[in-house]
Amino acid sequence: MTGNVCTSYDAAMEMAAPTLDQIRAARERLRELVAETPLWRWRGDAIEQAAGRGTEVLLKLELFQHAGSFKPRGALCSMMDLSPDALRRGVTAVSAGNHAMAVGYAARALGTTAKVVMPRTANPARVAGCREYGAEVELVDDVHRAFTRVREIEEQEGRAFIHPFEGPLVALGTATVGLEICEQARELDAVVVPIGGGGLCAGVASAVKQLLPRCAVYGVEPAGADSMHRSFASGKPESIDVVRTIADSLGAPHAAPYSFALCRRYVDRLVKVDDDALRSAMALLFRSAKLAVEPAGAAATAALCGPLREALSGKRVAVIVCGANIDALTFARHLGVRD
C-alpha cells in the first residue's frame, strides 16, 4: 500500500461511525426517494433443510429498492450533500452496474446528469438500465481502468465523483438498511451482510451494533474477490489484482480506509463463498422464495446455508438480499437451465 493510503487509513480510524441520530435524520431525508424494503420471514421445507431446523430466516429484500439494489441509499446521501453548483455540473461514478444504475436514478431524481464508467464485462441488462435512467455510459477494459477513467472525467468535466462504497456519507446511507432491519425485526441474533467494497456492511454493522449490541454481524465475500479478508489479515486496506467471481457487483478491486475501519470495528466474523455456492443459493431463492436474484444478491444466503450454518443454527437471522440486476439468459445459465 502507498503511504497516502496508509495515512488516509489512520485518519479514517479516528473518524466516528454514524450516530443513531444521524442515521435517523438520513432516513427522513431519503424518505421520498428510497423505499423502505420489506423484511420477510422465509418459511418452508427447502430453507429449513438448507439452514437447519429451527433457524428463523428473515430476508431483507433490498432487491425491491429503486434501481434494483441497495445502492441508491449511499448515492443519494452523497449527492444531496453537494453544493447546488456542484450538483448542476453533474456527477460521475465507476461500477460493474448496480452503483452506476443507482447514480443514474439519483441524478434523475435530483435533476442533474450522470456519466458512469463500467467494465466491458458488465451485465448488459445493467448497462441498459443505466441508460434508461438517463446516464451516459462509457465502457472500458476492466475495473482498474474504470477507476482511472472516472478520475479523468472528474478533473476534465468538473463532475463530482460519487464513490461506490467509501466514505461517511455512503455509510450513512447504507446504515438506514440496518436501522430498518432492527426496527422491523426488533430482536435478532445475527445479521448476514454481503461485502464488495464494504460500504453496505460498514453502514449496516454501525447501525445494528448501536441498536442491538448483542446481535452478531457476519460479512460475506466471494472467494474470488476477497479484499476485505486480506485487509483484516494485514490490519490495513488491501487490493486484489483481478476479480474472479460471478458476483461481479461484489468485485471491488480494493478495500478503502473508512469502510474498512467500520467493518473492522463492528463485524464479528468474515466468511467466503465460492461461485458454486452462489449458484446454489440463487437456485434456492428462486425455487423456495420465488426470487430471481443476481449472484451478489445470493451471497448472504450462500453463507447462511454454508460456512455459517452451524454457527447460526436455531438462531433468528436477518439475511440481506442486496440486488437483482441480472438478465434472464444469464440467470438461466447460472442455474444450469438449457434450451
Side-chain angles (χ1 to χ4, degrees):
M1 304 296 293
T2 67
N4 287 340
V5 171
C6 289
T7 299
S8 60
Y9 168 59
D10 291 339
M13 288 296 288
E14 299 302 319
M15 296 181 69
T19 67
L20 290 179
D21 284 345
Q22 290 171 332
I23 297 166
R24 291 185 177 113
R27 181 183 45 190
E28 290 305 311
R29 197 177 186 196
L30 295 173
R31 187 174 293 279
E32 299 302 317
L33 298 175
V34 302
E36 179 175 330
T37 55
L39 187 71
W40 178 74
R41 185 175 177 186
W42 189 0
R43 296 179 173 92
D45 292 342
I47 185 57
E48 187 172 277
Q49 292 170 8
R53 187 177 299 275
T55 304
E56 186 176 351
V57 182
L58 306 171
L59 297 181
K60 180 59 172 170
L61 298 173
E62 279 294 291
L63 76 165
F64 295 148
Q65 189 54 259
H66 297 298
S69 81
F70 71 93
K71 288 288 190 176
R73 297 175 186 263
L76 282 163
C77 265
S78 297
M79 291 170 63
M80 292 170 79
D81 198 59
L82 295 173
S83 70
D85 184 57
L87 193 62
R88 278 194 297 271
R89 289 197 299 271
V91 297
T92 187
V94 56
S95 169
N98 286 345
H99 178 64
M101 290 178 66
V103 169
Y105 163 75
R108 189 178 73 178
L110 297 177
T112 189
T113 62
K115 179 182 282 191
V116 299
V117 184
M118 306 173 70
R120 297 186 193 282
T121 55
N123 187 284
R126 295 180 191 156
V127 176
C130 291
R131 290 175 172 147
E132 288 170 6
Y133 282 119
E136 181 180 349
V137 179
E138 284 195 22
L139 300 177
V140 297
D141 288 340
D142 57 46
V143 70
H144 292 282
R145 171 58 187 155
F147 271 91
T148 300
R149 177 59 186 142
V150 82
R151 291 299 186 188
E152 293 171 354
I153 293 170
E154 183 183 19
E155 293 173 5
Q156 294 166 6
E157 301 184 22
R159 293 178 178 270
F161 175 51
I162 306 302
H163 202 286
F165 56 82
E166 173 66 344
L169 290 170
V170 174
L172 184 60
T174 60
T176 63
V177 179
L179 176 62
E180 287 178 16
I181 289 172
C182 292
E183 291 183 346
Q184 291 166 329
R186 298 187 181 275
E187 296 294 334
L188 283 169
D189 296 305
V191 178
V192 187
V193 191
I195 293 180
L200 175 62
C201 195
V204 169
S206 297
V208 168
K209 287 296 189 180
Q210 292 180 75
L211 287 161
L212 302 173
R214 288 179 287 185
C215 178
V217 177
Y218 297 92
V220 185
E221 283 189 300
D226 61 347
S227 58
M228 194 63 73
H229 271 81
R230 298 182 189 207
S231 301
F232 270 44
S234 72
K236 63 183 188 299
E238 298 286 358
S239 301
I240 55 175
D241 58 345
V242 65
V243 173
R244 300 180 179 88
T245 177
I246 61 171
D248 53 350
S249 55
L250 297 182
H254 59 266
Y258 184 75
S259 52
F260 167 65
L262 291 189
C263 286
R264 195 180 187 200
R265 187 183 309 172
Y266 291 121
V267 173
D268 294 279
R269 178 182 167 191
L270 297 177
V271 298
K272 289 188 271 192
V273 292
D274 63 22
D275 285 355
D276 286 342
L278 291 169
R279 293 186 184 98
S280 294
M282 290 172 68
L284 176 64
L285 284 159
F286 184 66
R287 183 176 72 254
S288 176
K290 311 306 178 188
L291 298 174
V293 307
E294 62 183 278
T301 299
L304 172 73
C305 300
L308 294 176
R309 190 179 192 275
E310 182 177 350
L312 297 180
S313 179
K315 306 290 188 181
R316 180 172 163 87
V317 184
V319 173
I320 297 179
V321 184
C322 61
N325 289 316
I326 189 168
D327 64 278
L329 180 58
T330 303
F331 180 79
R333 286 174 176 166
H334 284 319
L335 267 60
V337 178
R338 301 179 185 276
D339 294 334

